[in-house]
Amino acid sequence: MSSPRKYPWFYRPLEWLLLGLAHLPFSVLYLLADGIYLLLAYVIRYRERVVLENLRNSFPEKAEAEIRQIARKFYRHFAEVMVETLKLAVLTPAELKRRVLFRNPEVMERWFAQGRAVLGLSSHAGNWEWVLTSGAAWLSAQADGVYKPLSNPFFEDFMYRLRTRTGAGLIPMRETLRNLLRHRGQPRVVSLLSDQAAGPEDQPYWTNFLHQDSGFYTSADRLAPQFHFPVIYVSIRRQRRGYYEIVLTELYNGDAPLEPGKFAITESFVRHLEHDIRLFPSDYLWTHRRWKHKR
């Protein structure tokens, strides 16, 4: 799939450096990740205030020592996600399938067999960059992800190529509805990162999430009944360094009537995500200002 944007020539050395690093074996890349972890956690203290504030508010029952331990584990995980994402530049679909196990792909495959498209709701947990790319390797139907293009032309181009190497497609957020109409009736999964903070202009659904009043996008509740999409919660869980497991849970069958104004699909997604975060708190993206908007 072609790159969506061209970038200035002076980014070429950076591209060569990143591609050179991507060709290094995982063992070397994880040594690099150890260095990035130390830099983020102890030298520049990257968004430390945001991380600690998010953790304290999300787990008020935990002591300060445990909060800081989770923060340190998060920084290590974050550094590993960085090098794992870079490795997408050279990973083959077969290697990605070996490292990301879809525990129950039949939850989606049964809908593909009926010629249906599904919505997959995922989050910034585990290695979120490996979800769509591994889905393209595992599933029999096309895997497309809705995303917000980056403002920097080089990084937009580079990340676009990483994310589509295994056959996945990307849909710019502003073109979502047009894309769904154009491909109506085609079996595929359309993936949404549904944990992002929705602003007041998005008319969010407000609910309690990790002890905090939180606004969520309501795309799934609006699109699923309109297009008769079954909705699947996608949980990615780290098994060990460089290996993950994806578990699929059906939230909605695409045909049942939904009570207006209740946002049952989004509420179900929130509860499943909250459960996963409590099980693996250090594997969530705590640098994000998730609760910056107020009701």
Side-chain angles (χ1 to χ4, degrees):
M1 200 172 287
S2 62
S3 167
R5 195 186 301 184
K6 297 303 178 183
Y7 54 88
W9 64 268
F10 51 78
Y11 281 105
R12 285 295 182 187
L14 176 58
E15 179 184 18
W16 297 334
L17 172 63
L18 293 176
L19 291 176
L21 291 173
H23 280 84
L24 295 174
F26 269 106
S27 58
V28 178
L29 283 175
Y30 284 128
L31 289 176
L32 175 62
D34 290 339
I36 295 173
Y37 155 66
L38 293 173
L39 182 67
L40 294 177
Y42 297 104
V43 180
I44 64 175
R45 298 181 182 274
Y46 177 66
R47 293 196 173 187
E48 182 183 57
R49 183 185 62 80
V50 174
V51 171
L52 292 176
E53 180 181 354
N54 283 343
L55 287 170
R56 289 169 184 145
N57 291 339
S58 299
F59 304 103
E61 74 281 2
K62 295 185 183 298
E64 181 65 15
E66 187 175 1
I67 291 293
R68 290 186 175 273
Q69 181 184 43
I70 294 172
R72 288 192 296 272
K73 289 182 178 179
F74 157 71
Y75 279 116
R76 183 177 293 279
H77 166 69
F78 189 41
E80 292 176 1
V81 168
M82 287 182 184
V83 300
E84 289 170 359
T85 299
L86 181 59
K87 193 68 175 175
L88 284 174
V90 297
L91 274 183
T92 65
E95 175 69 2
L96 201 53
K97 285 185 70 172
R98 191 173 70 84
R99 289 181 170 272
V100 184
L101 172 65
F102 269 65
R103 181 62 64 186
N104 53 343
E106 65 275 6
V107 173
M108 285 189 181
E109 292 291 351
R110 72 186 187 95
W111 294 112
F112 300 151
Q114 297 176 32
R116 300 274 294 269
V118 305
L119 285 182
L121 305 187
S122 57
S123 69
H124 291 87
N127 187 332
W128 55 92
E129 292 290 353
W130 279 13
V131 173
L132 182 66
T133 50
S134 62
W138 267 95
L139 301 172
S140 63
Q142 175 66 27
D144 294 326
V146 176
Y147 85 116
K148 184 177 181 180
L150 301 174
S151 58
N152 181 285
F154 167 71
F155 286 106
E156 165 62 10
D157 177 88
F158 190 75
M159 290 303 298
Y160 188 97
R161 283 182 283 152
L162 293 192
R163 290 165 171 165
T164 58
R165 270 194 73 252
T166 59
L170 291 179
I171 306 168
M173 189 179 296
R174 294 184 179 216
E175 298 177 17
T176 302
L177 187 58
R178 186 185 311 164
N179 183 280
L180 295 180
L181 289 169
R182 186 186 306 126
H183 298 281
R184 196 166 193 163
Q186 297 179 12
R188 62 171 176 162
V189 55
V190 178
S191 177
L192 305 174
L193 277 171
S194 299
D195 62 325
Q196 302 182 71
E201 70 280 1
D202 302 305
Q203 299 181 324
Y205 166 65
W206 290 92
T207 188
N208 186 281
F209 171 56
L210 293 172
H211 297 286
Q212 296 162 89
D213 206 21
S214 311
F216 286 83
Y217 286 100
T218 58
S219 305
D221 286 271
R222 290 184 285 106
L223 296 174
Q226 180 180 356
F227 290 90
H228 299 283
F229 288 149
V231 181
I232 310 297
Y233 173 68
V234 182
S235 172
I236 180 167
R237 304 168 184 176
R238 175 197 293 268
Q239 300 303 296
R240 63 185 191 277
R241 203 177 213 187
Y243 291 86
Y244 297 86
E245 176 185 72
I246 287 181
V247 178
L248 306 176
T249 304
E250 186 174 302
L251 304 182
Y252 174 65
N253 67 5
D255 298 312
L258 293 173
E259 188 174 352
K262 293 298 184 181
F263 303 103
I265 296 173
T266 302
E267 178 65 25
S268 182
F269 164 79
V270 172
R271 301 284 75 87
H272 280 83
L273 174 59
E274 188 175 62
H275 172 75
D276 280 354
I277 293 173
R278 292 190 181 283
L279 285 177
F280 310 103
S282 61
D283 288 356
Y284 192 61
L285 182 62
W286 297 108
T287 52
H288 178 48
R289 294 184 62 226
R290 177 62 186 82
W291 291 276
K292 60 185 176 182
H293 301 299
K294 303 302 178 185
R295 189 191 292 258

Short mmCIF file of all heavy atoms in Angstrom, two decimals, residues 38-96:
data_model
loop_
_atom_site.label_atom_id
_atom_site.label_comp_id
_atom_site.label_asym_id
_atom_site.label_seq_id
_atom_site.Cartn_x
_atom_site.Cartn_y
_atom_site.Cartn_z
N LEU A 38 15.61 3.58 31.14
CA LEU A 38 16.37 4.35 32.13
C LEU A 38 16.32 5.84 31.82
O LEU A 38 16.19 6.68 32.72
CB LEU A 38 17.82 3.86 32.17
CG LEU A 38 18.02 2.43 32.70
CD1 LEU A 38 19.48 2.01 32.53
CD2 LEU A 38 17.60 2.31 34.15
N LEU A 39 16.39 6.17 30.53
CA LEU A 39 16.33 7.57 30.12
C LEU A 39 14.96 8.18 30.45
O LEU A 39 14.88 9.28 31.02
CB LEU A 39 16.60 7.67 28.62
CG LEU A 39 16.62 9.07 28.01
CD1 LEU A 39 17.81 9.87 28.54
CD2 LEU A 39 16.69 8.99 26.49
N LEU A 40 13.88 7.46 30.10
CA LEU A 40 12.54 7.98 30.33
C LEU A 40 12.20 8.09 31.81
O LEU A 40 11.61 9.08 32.25
CB LEU A 40 11.51 7.08 29.64
CG LEU A 40 11.51 7.02 28.11
CD1 LEU A 40 10.47 6.02 27.62
CD2 LEU A 40 11.25 8.40 27.51
N ALA A 41 12.56 7.05 32.56
CA ALA A 41 12.12 6.97 33.96
C ALA A 41 12.98 7.77 34.92
O ALA A 41 12.47 8.32 35.90
CB ALA A 41 12.06 5.50 34.40
N TYR A 42 14.29 7.86 34.64
CA TYR A 42 15.19 8.43 35.66
C TYR A 42 15.96 9.67 35.21
O TYR A 42 16.47 10.40 36.06
CB TYR A 42 16.19 7.36 36.09
CG TYR A 42 15.54 6.17 36.76
CD1 TYR A 42 15.38 4.96 36.07
CD2 TYR A 42 15.05 6.26 38.06
CE1 TYR A 42 14.77 3.88 36.67
CE2 TYR A 42 14.44 5.17 38.67
CZ TYR A 42 14.31 3.99 37.97
OH TYR A 42 13.69 2.92 38.56
N VAL A 43 16.05 9.91 33.90
CA VAL A 43 16.82 11.07 33.44
C VAL A 43 15.88 12.21 33.05
O VAL A 43 15.84 13.25 33.72
CB VAL A 43 17.74 10.69 32.26
CG1 VAL A 43 18.54 11.91 31.80
CG2 VAL A 43 18.68 9.56 32.67
N ILE A 44 15.11 12.01 32.00
CA ILE A 44 14.20 13.09 31.60
C ILE A 44 12.85 13.02 32.32
O ILE A 44 12.09 13.98 32.29
CB ILE A 44 13.98 13.09 30.07
CG1 ILE A 44 13.26 11.80 29.63
CG2 ILE A 44 15.28 13.25 29.32
CD1 ILE A 44 12.92 11.80 28.14
N ARG A 45 12.60 11.89 32.97
CA ARG A 45 11.34 11.70 33.72
C ARG A 45 10.14 12.10 32.86
O ARG A 45 9.33 12.96 33.22
CB ARG A 45 11.37 12.50 35.03
CG ARG A 45 12.48 12.07 35.98
CD ARG A 45 12.46 12.86 37.27
NE ARG A 45 13.54 12.48 38.14
CZ ARG A 45 13.52 11.47 38.99
NH1 ARG A 45 12.44 10.71 39.09
NH2 ARG A 45 14.57 11.19 39.75
N TYR A 46 10.03 11.42 31.74
CA TYR A 46 9.04 11.75 30.72
C TYR A 46 7.61 11.71 31.27
O TYR A 46 7.14 10.67 31.72
CB TYR A 46 9.18 10.78 29.54
CG TYR A 46 8.17 10.97 28.44
CD1 TYR A 46 8.16 12.12 27.67
CD2 TYR A 46 7.23 9.98 28.18
CE1 TYR A 46 7.23 12.29 26.65
CE2 TYR A 46 6.30 10.13 27.16
CZ TYR A 46 6.30 11.30 26.41
OH TYR A 46 5.38 11.46 25.41
N ARG A 47 6.97 12.86 31.27
CA ARG A 47 5.59 13.02 31.73
C ARG A 47 5.35 12.35 33.08
O ARG A 47 4.27 11.78 33.33
CB ARG A 47 4.61 12.49 30.69
CG ARG A 47 4.59 13.30 29.40
CD ARG A 47 3.37 13.01 28.56
NE ARG A 47 3.29 13.89 27.42
CZ ARG A 47 2.25 13.95 26.59
NH1 ARG A 47 1.21 13.16 26.78
NH2 ARG A 47 2.24 14.80 25.58
N GLU A 48 6.32 12.41 33.93
CA GLU A 48 6.21 11.75 35.23
C GLU A 48 5.01 12.24 36.03
O GLU A 48 4.31 11.45 36.66
CB GLU A 48 7.50 11.97 36.03
CG GLU A 48 7.50 11.28 37.39
CD GLU A 48 8.76 11.58 38.17
OE1 GLU A 48 9.04 12.78 38.41
OE2 GLU A 48 9.46 10.62 38.56
N ARG A 49 4.78 13.55 36.00
CA ARG A 49 3.66 14.09 36.77
C ARG A 49 2.33 13.53 36.27
O ARG A 49 1.47 13.15 37.05
CB ARG A 49 3.65 15.62 36.67
CG ARG A 49 2.54 16.28 37.50
CD ARG A 49 2.50 17.78 37.28
NE ARG A 49 2.20 18.10 35.89
CZ ARG A 49 0.96 18.08 35.38
NH1 ARG A 49 -0.08 17.73 36.14
NH2 ARG A 49 0.76 18.40 34.13
N VAL A 50 2.18 13.44 34.93
CA VAL A 50 0.96 12.90 34.35
C VAL A 50 0.79 11.43 34.70
O VAL A 50 -0.29 10.98 35.09
CB VAL A 50 0.96 13.08 32.82
CG1 VAL A 50 -0.25 12.41 32.17
CG2 VAL A 50 0.98 14.56 32.46
N VAL A 51 1.87 10.65 34.58
CA VAL A 51 1.81 9.22 34.88
C VAL A 51 1.40 8.98 36.33
O VAL A 51 0.48 8.20 36.61
CB VAL A 51 3.18 8.56 34.60
CG1 VAL A 51 3.20 7.12 35.12
CG2 VAL A 51 3.49 8.59 33.10
N LEU A 52 2.06 9.66 37.27
CA LEU A 52 1.77 9.44 38.68
C LEU A 52 0.37 9.92 39.05
O LEU A 52 -0.35 9.27 39.82
CB LEU A 52 2.82 10.13 39.55
CG LEU A 52 4.23 9.53 39.47
CD1 LEU A 52 5.21 10.37 40.29
CD2 LEU A 52 4.25 8.08 39.95
N GLU A 53 -0.04 11.05 38.48
CA GLU A 53 -1.39 11.56 38.75
C GLU A 53 -2.44 10.59 38.23
O GLU A 53 -3.44 10.30 38.92
CB GLU A 53 -1.56 12.93 38.12
CG GLU A 53 -2.94 13.54 38.36
CD GLU A 53 -3.11 14.90 37.70
OE1 GLU A 53 -2.12 15.42 37.13
OE2 GLU A 53 -4.23 15.43 37.72
N ASN A 54 -2.24 10.08 37.01
CA ASN A 54 -3.19 9.11 36.46
C ASN A 54 -3.28 7.86 37.32
O ASN A 54 -4.38 7.34 37.58
CB ASN A 54 -2.77 8.73 35.04
CG ASN A 54 -3.12 9.80 34.01
OD1 ASN A 54 -3.94 10.67 34.26
ND2 ASN A 54 -2.49 9.72 32.85
N LEU A 55 -2.14 7.36 37.76
CA LEU A 55 -2.13 6.14 38.57
C LEU A 55 -2.75 6.37 39.94
O LEU A 55 -3.53 5.52 40.42
CB LEU A 55 -0.70 5.63 38.72
CG LEU A 55 -0.08 5.00 37.46
CD1 LEU A 55 1.41 4.74 37.66
CD2 LEU A 55 -0.79 3.69 37.12
N ARG A 56 -2.44 7.48 40.58
CA ARG A 56 -3.01 7.76 41.90
C ARG A 56 -4.53 7.89 41.84
O ARG A 56 -5.25 7.37 42.71
CB ARG A 56 -2.41 9.04 42.47
CG ARG A 56 -0.95 8.90 42.91
CD ARG A 56 -0.35 10.26 43.19
NE ARG A 56 1.09 10.17 43.52
CZ ARG A 56 1.99 11.08 43.19
NH1 ARG A 56 1.60 12.18 42.52
NH2 ARG A 56 3.25 10.93 43.51
N ASN A 57 -5.02 8.56 40.80
CA ASN A 57 -6.47 8.74 40.67
C ASN A 57 -7.17 7.44 40.28
O ASN A 57 -8.31 7.20 40.65
CB ASN A 57 -6.77 9.82 39.63
CG ASN A 57 -6.36 11.20 40.09
OD1 ASN A 57 -6.21 11.45 41.29
ND2 ASN A 57 -6.18 12.12 39.16
N SER A 58 -6.48 6.60 39.51
CA SER A 58 -7.09 5.35 39.04
C SER A 58 -7.07 4.26 40.10
O SER A 58 -7.94 3.37 40.11
CB SER A 58 -6.35 4.85 37.79
OG SER A 58 -6.43 5.78 36.74
N PHE A 59 -6.08 4.31 41.00
CA PHE A 59 -5.95 3.28 42.04
C PHE A 59 -5.79 3.95 43.41
O PHE A 59 -4.73 3.86 44.03
CB PHE A 59 -4.74 2.39 41.74
CG PHE A 59 -4.77 1.74 40.39
CD1 PHE A 59 -3.99 2.22 39.34
CD2 PHE A 59 -5.60 0.66 40.15
CE1 PHE A 59 -4.02 1.63 38.10
CE2 PHE A 59 -5.65 0.06 38.89
CZ PHE A 59 -4.85 0.54 37.86
N PRO A 60 -6.83 4.63 43.88
CA PRO A 60 -6.72 5.33 45.17
C PRO A 60 -6.48 4.38 46.35
O PRO A 60 -6.03 4.81 47.41
CB PRO A 60 -8.07 6.05 45.30
CG PRO A 60 -9.01 5.27 44.42
CD PRO A 60 -8.17 4.80 43.28
N GLU A 61 -6.77 3.11 46.14
CA GLU A 61 -6.59 2.14 47.23
C GLU A 61 -5.14 1.68 47.37
O GLU A 61 -4.79 1.04 48.37
CB GLU A 61 -7.48 0.92 46.97
CG GLU A 61 -7.03 -0.03 45.86
CD GLU A 61 -7.36 0.46 44.44
OE1 GLU A 61 -7.91 1.56 44.31
OE2 GLU A 61 -7.06 -0.29 43.49
N LYS A 62 -4.29 2.01 46.41
CA LYS A 62 -2.91 1.54 46.44
C LYS A 62 -2.00 2.53 47.16
O LYS A 62 -2.17 3.76 47.04
CB LYS A 62 -2.39 1.29 45.01
CG LYS A 62 -3.11 0.17 44.27
CD LYS A 62 -2.48 -0.10 42.94
CE LYS A 62 -3.24 -1.17 42.16
NZ LYS A 62 -3.25 -2.48 42.85
N ALA A 63 -1.01 1.99 47.87
CA ALA A 63 -0.03 2.83 48.56
C ALA A 63 0.89 3.51 47.55
O ALA A 63 1.05 3.04 46.42
CB ALA A 63 0.78 1.99 49.54
N GLU A 64 1.53 4.61 47.97
CA GLU A 64 2.41 5.37 47.07
C GLU A 64 3.56 4.52 46.56
O GLU A 64 3.95 4.65 45.39
CB GLU A 64 2.95 6.60 47.81
CG GLU A 64 3.85 7.50 46.97
CD GLU A 64 3.13 8.17 45.81
OE1 GLU A 64 1.88 8.19 45.80
OE2 GLU A 64 3.83 8.68 44.91
N ALA A 65 4.09 3.63 47.40
CA ALA A 65 5.20 2.79 46.96
C ALA A 65 4.77 1.88 45.81
O ALA A 65 5.51 1.68 44.84
CB ALA A 65 5.72 1.95 48.12
N GLU A 66 3.54 1.34 45.87
CA GLU A 66 3.05 0.48 44.79
C GLU A 66 2.77 1.28 43.53
O GLU A 66 3.02 0.81 42.42
CB GLU A 66 1.79 -0.26 45.24
CG GLU A 66 1.32 -1.29 44.23
CD GLU A 66 0.14 -2.11 44.70
OE1 GLU A 66 -0.34 -1.87 45.82
OE2 GLU A 66 -0.31 -2.99 43.94
N ILE A 67 2.25 2.50 43.70
CA ILE A 67 2.00 3.37 42.55
C ILE A 67 3.31 3.62 41.79
O ILE A 67 3.38 3.53 40.56
CB ILE A 67 1.39 4.71 43.01
CG1 ILE A 67 -0.03 4.50 43.53
CG2 ILE A 67 1.42 5.74 41.88
CD1 ILE A 67 -1.04 4.07 42.49
N ARG A 68 4.38 3.92 42.51
CA ARG A 68 5.66 4.20 41.87
C ARG A 68 6.27 2.95 41.25
O ARG A 68 6.95 3.02 40.22
CB ARG A 68 6.62 4.84 42.88
CG ARG A 68 6.19 6.26 43.24
CD ARG A 68 7.18 6.98 44.14
NE ARG A 68 6.79 8.36 44.35
CZ ARG A 68 7.12 9.38 43.56
NH1 ARG A 68 7.89 9.16 42.50
NH2 ARG A 68 6.71 10.62 43.81
N GLN A 69 6.00 1.80 41.84
CA GLN A 69 6.47 0.55 41.24
C GLN A 69 5.75 0.28 39.91
O GLN A 69 6.38 -0.12 38.92
CB GLN A 69 6.24 -0.61 42.20
CG GLN A 69 6.73 -1.95 41.66
CD GLN A 69 6.41 -3.10 42.60
OE1 GLN A 69 5.31 -3.18 43.14
NE2 GLN A 69 7.37 -3.99 42.79
N ILE A 70 4.44 0.52 39.88
CA ILE A 70 3.68 0.37 38.63
C ILE A 70 4.21 1.34 37.58
O ILE A 70 4.36 0.99 36.41
CB ILE A 70 2.17 0.60 38.88
CG1 ILE A 70 1.60 -0.51 39.77
CG2 ILE A 70 1.42 0.64 37.55
CD1 ILE A 70 0.17 -0.27 40.21
N ALA A 71 4.52 2.57 38.01
CA ALA A 71 5.04 3.58 37.08
C ALA A 71 6.36 3.11 36.46
O ALA A 71 6.57 3.25 35.25
CB ALA A 71 5.23 4.92 37.79
N ARG A 72 7.25 2.56 37.29
CA ARG A 72 8.54 2.07 36.75
C ARG A 72 8.31 0.94 35.76
O ARG A 72 8.96 0.89 34.70
CB ARG A 72 9.44 1.62 37.90
CG ARG A 72 10.00 2.76 38.75
CD ARG A 72 11.10 2.29 39.65
NE ARG A 72 10.63 1.33 40.65
CZ ARG A 72 10.13 1.66 41.84
NH1 ARG A 72 10.05 2.94 42.18
NH2 ARG A 72 9.74 0.74 42.69
N LYS A 73 7.42 0.02 36.09
CA LYS A 73 7.13 -1.08 35.18
C LYS A 73 6.49 -0.57 33.88
O LYS A 73 6.76 -1.10 32.80
CB LYS A 73 6.19 -2.09 35.85
CG LYS A 73 6.85 -2.90 36.96
CD LYS A 73 5.87 -3.91 37.55
CE LYS A 73 6.53 -4.75 38.62
NZ LYS A 73 5.56 -5.72 39.21
N PHE A 74 5.67 0.48 34.01
CA PHE A 74 5.07 1.06 32.81
C PHE A 74 6.15 1.63 31.89
O PHE A 74 6.11 1.41 30.67
CB PHE A 74 4.07 2.16 33.17
CG PHE A 74 3.87 3.12 32.03
CD1 PHE A 74 3.17 2.73 30.89
CD2 PHE A 74 4.43 4.39 32.05
CE1 PHE A 74 3.02 3.59 29.81
CE2 PHE A 74 4.29 5.25 30.98
CZ PHE A 74 3.57 4.86 29.85
N TYR A 75 7.10 2.38 32.44
CA TYR A 75 8.14 2.96 31.60
C TYR A 75 8.94 1.87 30.87
O TYR A 75 9.31 2.04 29.71
CB TYR A 75 9.08 3.83 32.43
CG TYR A 75 8.54 5.21 32.72
CD1 TYR A 75 8.25 5.62 34.02
CD2 TYR A 75 8.31 6.12 31.69
CE1 TYR A 75 7.76 6.89 34.29
CE2 TYR A 75 7.81 7.39 31.94
CZ TYR A 75 7.54 7.77 33.24
OH TYR A 75 7.05 9.03 33.50
N ARG A 76 9.19 0.77 31.54
CA ARG A 76 9.89 -0.34 30.88
C ARG A 76 9.04 -0.91 29.75
O ARG A 76 9.54 -1.17 28.64
CB ARG A 76 10.26 -1.42 31.90
CG ARG A 76 11.07 -2.56 31.29
CD ARG A 76 11.48 -3.57 32.33
NE ARG A 76 12.44 -3.03 33.28
CZ ARG A 76 13.75 -2.93 33.06
NH1 ARG A 76 14.25 -3.30 31.88
NH2 ARG A 76 14.55 -2.46 33.98
N HIS A 77 7.77 -1.11 30.03
CA HIS A 77 6.86 -1.62 29.00
C HIS A 77 6.78 -0.65 27.82
O HIS A 77 6.82 -1.07 26.65
CB HIS A 77 5.47 -1.83 29.61
CG HIS A 77 4.38 -2.02 28.60
ND1 HIS A 77 4.28 -3.16 27.82
CD2 HIS A 77 3.36 -1.22 28.21
CE1 HIS A 77 3.24 -3.05 27.01
NE2 HIS A 77 2.67 -1.88 27.22
N PHE A 78 6.68 0.62 28.11
CA PHE A 78 6.57 1.65 27.07
C PHE A 78 7.80 1.62 26.17
O PHE A 78 7.70 1.71 24.94
CB PHE A 78 6.41 3.01 27.74
CG PHE A 78 6.09 4.14 26.80
CD1 PHE A 78 5.19 3.97 25.75
CD2 PHE A 78 6.67 5.38 26.97
CE1 PHE A 78 4.88 5.03 24.90
CE2 PHE A 78 6.37 6.44 26.12
CZ PHE A 78 5.48 6.27 25.09
N ALA A 79 8.98 1.48 26.76
CA ALA A 79 10.21 1.41 25.98
C ALA A 79 10.22 0.17 25.09
O ALA A 79 10.68 0.22 23.93
CB ALA A 79 11.42 1.41 26.91
N GLU A 80 9.73 -0.94 25.59
CA GLU A 80 9.69 -2.17 24.79
C GLU A 80 8.69 -2.05 23.64
O GLU A 80 8.96 -2.55 22.53
CB GLU A 80 9.35 -3.36 25.69
CG GLU A 80 10.48 -3.68 26.67
CD GLU A 80 10.14 -4.79 27.64
OE1 GLU A 80 9.02 -5.35 27.54
OE2 GLU A 80 10.99 -5.12 28.49
N VAL A 81 7.56 -1.38 23.88
CA VAL A 81 6.59 -1.16 22.80
C VAL A 81 7.23 -0.32 21.69
O VAL A 81 6.98 -0.56 20.50
CB VAL A 81 5.32 -0.48 23.34
CG1 VAL A 81 4.43 0.02 22.19
CG2 VAL A 81 4.52 -1.44 24.20
N MET A 82 8.08 0.63 22.05
CA MET A 82 8.76 1.46 21.05
C MET A 82 9.59 0.61 20.09
O MET A 82 9.48 0.72 18.87
CB MET A 82 9.66 2.49 21.73
CG MET A 82 8.94 3.62 22.40
SD MET A 82 10.16 4.78 23.10
CE MET A 82 9.08 5.93 23.93
N VAL A 83 10.43 -0.28 20.65
CA VAL A 83 11.30 -1.06 19.77
C VAL A 83 10.51 -2.15 19.05
O VAL A 83 10.84 -2.52 17.91
CB VAL A 83 12.50 -1.66 20.55
CG1 VAL A 83 13.34 -0.55 21.17
CG2 VAL A 83 12.07 -2.66 21.60
N GLU A 84 9.47 -2.67 19.68
CA GLU A 84 8.63 -3.67 19.01
C GLU A 84 7.89 -3.05 17.82
O GLU A 84 7.71 -3.69 16.78
CB GLU A 84 7.63 -4.27 20.00
CG GLU A 84 8.28 -5.19 21.02
CD GLU A 84 7.35 -5.59 22.15
OE1 GLU A 84 6.18 -5.12 22.16
OE2 GLU A 84 7.78 -6.35 23.04
N THR A 85 7.45 -1.81 17.99
CA THR A 85 6.79 -1.11 16.89
C THR A 85 7.77 -0.88 15.74
O THR A 85 7.45 -1.09 14.57
CB THR A 85 6.21 0.23 17.38
OG1 THR A 85 5.25 -0.03 18.41
CG2 THR A 85 5.55 0.99 16.24
N LEU A 86 8.99 -0.47 16.07
CA LEU A 86 10.01 -0.27 15.04
C LEU A 86 10.29 -1.57 14.29
O LEU A 86 10.51 -1.57 13.08
CB LEU A 86 11.29 0.24 15.70
CG LEU A 86 12.47 0.54 14.77
CD1 LEU A 86 12.10 1.60 13.74
CD2 LEU A 86 13.69 0.99 15.59
N LYS A 87 10.24 -2.68 14.99
CA LYS A 87 10.52 -3.98 14.38
C LYS A 87 9.49 -4.36 13.31
O LYS A 87 9.75 -5.23 12.47
CB LYS A 87 10.56 -5.06 15.48
CG LYS A 87 11.16 -6.38 15.04
CD LYS A 87 12.64 -6.30 14.74
CE LYS A 87 13.21 -7.67 14.43
NZ LYS A 87 14.64 -7.60 14.01
N LEU A 88 8.33 -3.70 13.32
CA LEU A 88 7.33 -3.96 12.28
C LEU A 88 7.87 -3.70 10.88
O LEU A 88 7.34 -4.20 9.90
CB LEU A 88 6.09 -3.09 12.51
CG LEU A 88 5.15 -3.53 13.64
CD1 LEU A 88 4.05 -2.48 13.84
CD2 LEU A 88 4.53 -4.89 13.36
N ALA A 89 8.94 -2.90 10.79
CA ALA A 89 9.52 -2.59 9.48
C ALA A 89 10.06 -3.83 8.79
O ALA A 89 10.21 -3.83 7.55
CB ALA A 89 10.63 -1.55 9.64
N VAL A 90 10.37 -4.89 9.55
CA VAL A 90 10.97 -6.08 8.94
C VAL A 90 10.26 -7.38 9.34
O VAL A 90 10.57 -8.43 8.78
CB VAL A 90 12.47 -6.19 9.32
CG1 VAL A 90 13.25 -5.01 8.76
CG2 VAL A 90 12.67 -6.29 10.82
N LEU A 91 9.34 -7.34 10.29
CA LEU A 91 8.67 -8.56 10.73
C LEU A 91 7.82 -9.14 9.60
O LEU A 91 7.07 -8.43 8.94
CB LEU A 91 7.77 -8.28 11.93
CG LEU A 91 8.39 -8.32 13.32
CD1 LEU A 91 7.32 -8.10 14.38
CD2 LEU A 91 9.10 -9.65 13.57
N THR A 92 7.92 -10.45 9.39
CA THR A 92 7.07 -11.12 8.42
C THR A 92 5.73 -11.48 9.08
O THR A 92 5.65 -11.58 10.32
CB THR A 92 7.73 -12.42 7.93
OG1 THR A 92 7.85 -13.33 9.04
CG2 THR A 92 9.10 -12.13 7.33
N PRO A 93 4.68 -11.66 8.31
CA PRO A 93 3.41 -12.10 8.89
C PRO A 93 3.55 -13.39 9.69
O PRO A 93 2.91 -13.54 10.74
CB PRO A 93 2.51 -12.29 7.66
CG PRO A 93 3.06 -11.33 6.65
CD PRO A 93 4.55 -11.36 6.87
N ALA A 94 4.38 -14.31 9.23
CA ALA A 94 4.56 -15.58 9.96
C ALA A 94 5.18 -15.34 11.33
O ALA A 94 4.77 -15.95 12.33
CB ALA A 94 5.42 -16.53 9.13
N GLU A 95 6.19 -14.46 11.41
CA GLU A 95 6.83 -14.16 12.69
C GLU A 95 5.86 -13.43 13.61
O GLU A 95 5.82 -13.68 14.82
CB GLU A 95 8.09 -13.31 12.47
CG GLU A 95 8.78 -12.83 13.72
CD GLU A 95 9.43 -13.94 14.53
OE1 GLU A 95 9.40 -15.11 14.10
OE2 GLU A 95 9.99 -13.63 15.61
N LEU A 96 5.05 -12.55 13.04
CA LEU A 96 4.08 -11.83 13.85
C LEU A 96 3.01 -12.78 14.41
O LEU A 96 2.60 -12.67 15.57
CB LEU A 96 3.42 -10.73 13.01
CG LEU A 96 2.77 -9.57 13.74
CD1 LEU A 96 3.71 -8.91 14.74
CD2 LEU A 96 2.27 -8.54 12.74
#
